[in-house]
Amino acid sequence: MSDNTRMVAGNKEYPQGGGTEAFELLQHLGSGGFAHTFSARVLDADLIEEFQTDIVALKIPINKKKGIQLKKEITLNGAVYLQLKQLQGKNLVRCLGFESFRDQVVMVMEHVVGGSLRDKIGGIDHQKPLPYTDALEIIKGVLTGLQVIHEARVFHRDIKPENILMDGAIPKIADLGISRMLDSNELASTTSGTIPYMSPEILGAEGASFPSDIWSVGVTFYEMLTGRLPFGGGNTPIGTMVNLILTKCPASPSALDASIPRPINDVVLKALCKEPGGRFCSAAEMLATLENLKAAKTTQVKSDLASIRELLQSNEKLSVVEARMRDLVRQYPEEGEVYQLLGEFLNRCERFDDAIQTFKKGLRHVAENPMLRWDLALAYQKIGNPQAAVSNLEKALSLGLDPSLQRHARMLLKALRGS
């Protein structure tokens, strides 16, 4: 067989295509302790119909021993794997089934093309912190998927950035290969997972259950926010790292980055409580807490904006009002309304260039905000740039501009195109 008909993962060659095999390997996606993962084309028409796709991800055991283990697990725990296959949700990588390939059993998974969260944040000791707003949305998606898994009585055991695949902005939990079904009072005593993300109880003698997945979510959230692990790093000896996890409290995220809001800091630290009973009792509870923080923040933003509007109607110096507005932008960098208020103020002061920069900065944080596009178009009109004004008006309309402004926007578009 020629070299271009083979794929190599580790020391093992996997021939592609040919014969009556149901799959053709396309690309090696990664390797773990149990399996190599490849993207693959489905060649069997019946399987294409069953999977509703002709491109999948195959998890191929790394050696014969692992393959025998997988086959034995499927035989002994058929109900478990049927349950995994039936688990569905936008934040889960679907298990499509188990098939035969090259004389061994392989796991067939949904193929997600966006890479992993690890790709997004960088390797250990080389991580780049994400904006806390991005980290928050990702972890909420992870918790949504984990809620589905736990409600099906499945304990994942290995939540980490490598096992969170990114479908655009949507995180999907992958690799349920070491999961197992748990009764509500059952503890899994087998130590499995990845050391930096393992909970104290997994590393201890008492065994672990669903709260250990909450711990792993906490470690992942901490890493996204701070760009580092809470306990040690890539060069930390395993024994030292285990001791840190068992005995030491991590530096708080907000101590490492003052821009991280205190309520988010507190959520992370609660997820990393050494005692399982001190953590969130479920993924649903942690998710609800984060959603409530968002609702409380929205209420506070509206209150702060109202107080500044009152200042605008008073005799307060404009410099004082502007300073308050800029403080609000720094405090709520992801809220489109604060950029809108400051930009409109600058427009009224005929500081059009400053207004344009303000609206553009806002759009870097909230790109789909139609009102920022509308205001930016008006500012461009004021400085005599009809092309930029038209472009932003069209975008504002496509994003769903407020109905009260749509007629005005279309009339302005017509006038600008005719100018």
Side-chain angles (χ1 to χ4, degrees):
M1 186 173 288
S2 62
D3 289 342
N4 62 5
T5 62
R6 292 180 177 270
M7 281 196 154
V8 179
N11 295 319
K12 185 167 184 177
E13 290 187 335
Y14 291 93
Q16 295 189 89
T20 58
E21 292 291 352
F23 305 98
E24 175 190 3
L25 300 183
L26 299 176
Q27 182 181 1
H28 179 232
L29 301 176
S31 298
F34 186 85
H36 300 299
T37 304
F38 288 86
S39 60
R41 180 175 287 109
V42 186
L43 303 176
D44 183 284
D46 290 337
L47 289 179
I48 292 174
E49 182 177 357
E50 179 183 343
F51 299 154
Q52 293 297 296
T53 180
D54 65 343
I55 301 295
V56 297
L58 291 187
K59 296 185 76 67
I60 303 174
I62 60 176
N63 54 44
K64 185 176 181 180
K65 181 179 179 181
K66 296 290 187 183
I68 292 172
Q69 181 182 345
L70 177 60
K71 188 173 182 178
K72 181 179 179 181
E73 286 294 312
I74 295 171
T75 303
L76 293 177
N77 300 290
V80 174
Y81 292 101
L82 179 62
Q83 186 93 352
L84 295 181
K85 186 175 177 180
Q86 291 173 340
L87 284 175
Q88 294 190 39
K90 75 171 186 175
N91 297 111
L92 297 178
V93 176
R94 289 186 59 215
C95 174
L96 300 176
F98 297 85
E99 300 293 335
S100 175
F101 179 69
R102 303 300 179 195
D103 298 322
Q104 59 184 321
V105 175
V106 299
M107 181 184 287
V108 187
M109 308 292 293
E110 171 191 3
H111 179 43
V112 180
V113 298
S116 70
L117 179 58
R118 173 62 66 206
D119 298 327
K120 187 177 182 67
I121 65 176
I124 290 176
D125 294 339
H126 300 284
Q127 303 101 313
K128 293 185 295 184
L130 300 181
Y132 80 82
T133 51
D134 292 352
L136 178 60
E137 290 308 307
I138 290 172
I139 216 67
K140 283 163 58 179
V142 172
L143 287 165
T144 300
L146 193 60
Q147 181 179 353
V148 174
I149 294 172
H150 285 181
E151 287 176 353
R153 311 312 302 162
V154 175
F155 171 22
H156 188 283
R157 300 193 190 201
D158 202 20
I159 298 290
K160 59 183 179 180
E162 289 83 352
N163 285 339
I164 298 168
L165 304 186
M166 300 302 299
D167 185 5
I170 299 173
K172 290 176 171 278
I173 299 175
D175 201 355
L176 300 178
I178 59 172
S179 301
R180 62 170 293 183
M181 304 291 284
L182 288 179
D183 293 330
S184 59
N185 62 347
E186 183 182 5
L187 297 178
S189 58
T190 304
T191 298
S192 53
T194 306
I195 295 290
Y197 303 88
M198 287 185 185
S199 66
E201 60 271 22
I202 284 184
L203 295 169
E206 64 269 34
S209 184
F210 303 111
S212 290
D213 281 343
I214 298 296
W215 171 279
S216 301
V217 169
V219 175
T220 301
F221 200 6
Y222 187 106
E223 188 175 3
M224 283 194 288
L225 290 168
T226 67
R228 55 183 277 185
L229 293 169
F231 306 99
N235 294 321
T236 304
I238 291 177
T240 302
M241 181 173 286
V242 169
N243 183 62
L244 290 172
I245 293 171
L246 292 174
T247 64
K248 301 297 182 183
C249 293
S252 67
S254 60
L256 299 173
D257 182 351
S259 71
I260 298 171
R262 175 61 63 176
I264 290 179
N265 176 85
D266 294 344
V267 167
V268 175
L269 294 181
K270 182 171 181 178
L272 293 177
C273 180
K274 302 290 186 192
E275 293 296 325
R279 297 172 211 151
F280 296 96
C281 67
S282 65
E285 184 192 17
M286 186 172 176
L287 178 61
T289 300
L290 292 173
E291 293 287 9
N292 289 338
L293 292 181
K294 182 178 180 180
K297 184 186 70 173
T298 299
T299 300
Q300 186 60 50
V301 170
K302 291 186 180 300
S303 175
D304 290 342
L305 286 170
S307 67
I308 289 177
R309 291 190 178 101
E310 289 178 4
L311 277 180
L312 282 170
Q313 296 173 4
S314 69
N315 293 323
E316 187 62 77
K317 292 180 180 179
L318 293 180
S319 60
V320 173
V321 178
E322 182 178 347
R324 285 285 305 278
M325 290 182 183
R326 293 191 181 279
D327 283 343
L328 212 58
V329 167
R330 284 189 288 271
Q331 188 175 357
Y332 304 113
E334 73 286 358
E335 296 292 333
E337 285 184 86
V338 298
Y339 297 98
Q340 185 183 347
L341 184 65
L342 175 58
E344 289 174 350
F345 168 82
L346 294 169
N347 264 344
R348 287 196 296 271
C349 294
E350 299 187 352
R351 293 164 56 187
F352 302 120
D353 288 337
D354 288 344
I356 287 170
Q357 293 307 311
T358 297
F359 295 134
K360 284 183 172 180
K361 184 177 179 181
L363 286 166
R364 286 198 292 271
H365 291 276
V366 279
E368 304 300 298
N369 187 303
M371 288 304 299
L372 286 176
R373 290 286 179 184
W374 162 258
D375 284 325
L376 181 56
L378 296 182
Y380 275 126
Q381 180 197 20
K382 291 290 187 181
I383 65 170
N385 188 337
Q387 185 176 358
V390 166
S391 175
N392 281 282
L393 281 172
E394 290 174 340
K395 185 65 174 177
L397 285 167
S398 72
L399 290 172
L401 189 62
D402 189 282
S404 64
L405 294 174
Q406 287 181 12
R407 182 171 176 273
H408 188 182
R410 291 191 178 96
M411 291 177 61
L412 185 55
L413 264 177
K414 185 177 180 180
L416 287 168
R417 285 169 176 159
S419 61

